[in-house]
Amino acid sequence: MLTDNVVIAHRGASGYAPEHTFSSFDKSHYDMHADYIEIDVQMTLDGEIIVMHDETTDRTANLPGVIKNMTLKEIESLDVGKWFNEKFPEMYQEAYDGQKVPTLRALIERYGKANYYIETKAPDIYPGMEERLLQILNEYQLLTPERLKNKQTVIQSFSLESLIKVNQINKDLPLLLLAKKGVLRQMTDEDLKKIHQFVYAVGPNIKDLDAPLIERMHQIGFLVFPYTLNDEVLMEQLINEGIDGGFTNYPDLLRKQFRKDDSEVFE
Ligand code: G3P
Ligand code: CA
């Protein structure tokens, strides 16, 4: 099931390999059997959806650049693996040097009918991003009634407006609302119940989470998948307090904490 003890590989197994690269996704998907591949998406100047966290290239490509002003060809020339080897020499692997930014299409072509947790990142600076994203997912048969019922393709965002747009395009798509510290606490039960009419889960910041907040979200009807759950002590504590799953850079460790074995791999 994808509603219980859910392991969402945050940017792949990004604690072990450069985030948002095939090396990171291969590890989380094939080696660690995470339930979901988690990605952030951005859009290039020529309208291609790419898989990347930042709106700029500085951090992971070590070159100045703004994605929305760059063409796909320019993005494809970037090396987004080298920084990881330099920053984490203890995890150095030759193959990480030269890793490329995947397009959404290339990602889907590589992992096929895997389960995807897709974040519309900075949707306000990419007008039309939701339409483009859903068009591609549809093209690859990732929006079939069966997959949506099983929550195998999920859209997540910090932007409620972006989730509303997605819901207007496809009312059956499972949605998760990400929430920065304090956001859920400031919302009334009435507001949250309205959101729950089309959003099945919330993704609170781990720094904001405690048993009463988890209980309150469950009372309203949400599943609770916090980000980013990397510390084993905290994993154990929050599991005991009732979380339903979580985003993690270490899918192997979260699987272990949930005591999942390979018979529980959801294909
Ligand atoms: O999508 C969950 C988590 O990834 C949200 O934060 O900044 O890592 O995308 P961020
Ligand atoms: Ca994300």
Side-chain angles (χ1 to χ4, degrees), residues 10-11 38 40 53 119 121 156 158 178 227-228 247:
H10 182 244
R11 316 181 194 179
E38 193 262 350
D40 304 311
H53 177 271
E119 181 180 349
K121 211 54 158 172
Q156 43 155 346
F158 285 102
L178 293 164
Y227 70 95
T228 307
F247 297 84

Side-chain angles (χ1 to χ4, degrees), residues 142-196:
L142 294 180
L143 301 180
T144 60
E146 184 71 3
R147 277 187 67 88
L148 300 190
K149 183 166 68 70
N150 291 336
K151 299 185 170 45
Q152 290 178 271
T153 304
V154 179
I155 306 293
Q156 43 155 346
S157 192
F158 285 102
S159 162
L160 186 59
E161 290 69 34
S162 185
L163 295 183
I164 290 170
K165 266 188 209 162
V166 171
N167 180 252
Q168 283 167 348
I169 304 170
N170 186 330
K171 66 175 177 36
D172 296 325
L173 245 161
L175 304 175
L176 174 141
L177 178 65
L178 293 164
K180 297 210 163 116
K181 201 170 168 210
V183 170
L184 294 173
R185 292 182 189 279
Q186 283 159 11
M187 294 172 105
T188 63
D189 281 5
E190 200 185 2
D191 287 342
L192 287 163
K193 280 177 192 161
K194 274 190 203 146
I195 293 170
H196 179 55

Side-chain angles (χ1 to χ4, degrees), residues 7-10 12-17 24 27-29 31-36 91 229-230 232 235 239 246-262:
V7 176
I8 307 168
H10 182 244
S14 58
Y16 302 103
S24 178
K27 217 175 260 303
S28 74
H29 187 65
D31 301 348
M32 299 181 175
H33 306 299
D35 295 309
Y36 285 96
M91 277 182 281
L229 207 42
N230 292 331
E232 282 191 281
M235 286 177 188
I239 288 169
F247 297 84
T248 179
N249 298 351
Y250 302 95
D252 53 340
L253 300 185
L254 190 55
R255 276 186 66 90
K256 194 174 83 187
Q257 289 295 333
F258 276 129
R259 298 186 170 76
K260 292 178 85 143
D261 60 39
D262 278 348

Side-chain angles (χ1 to χ4, degrees), residues 232-250:
E232 282 191 281
V233 175
L234 191 60
M235 286 177 188
E236 190 181 4
Q237 182 195 318
L238 291 176
I239 288 169
N240 288 334
E241 290 176 356
I243 57 165
D244 304 287
F247 297 84
T248 179
N249 298 351
Y250 302 95

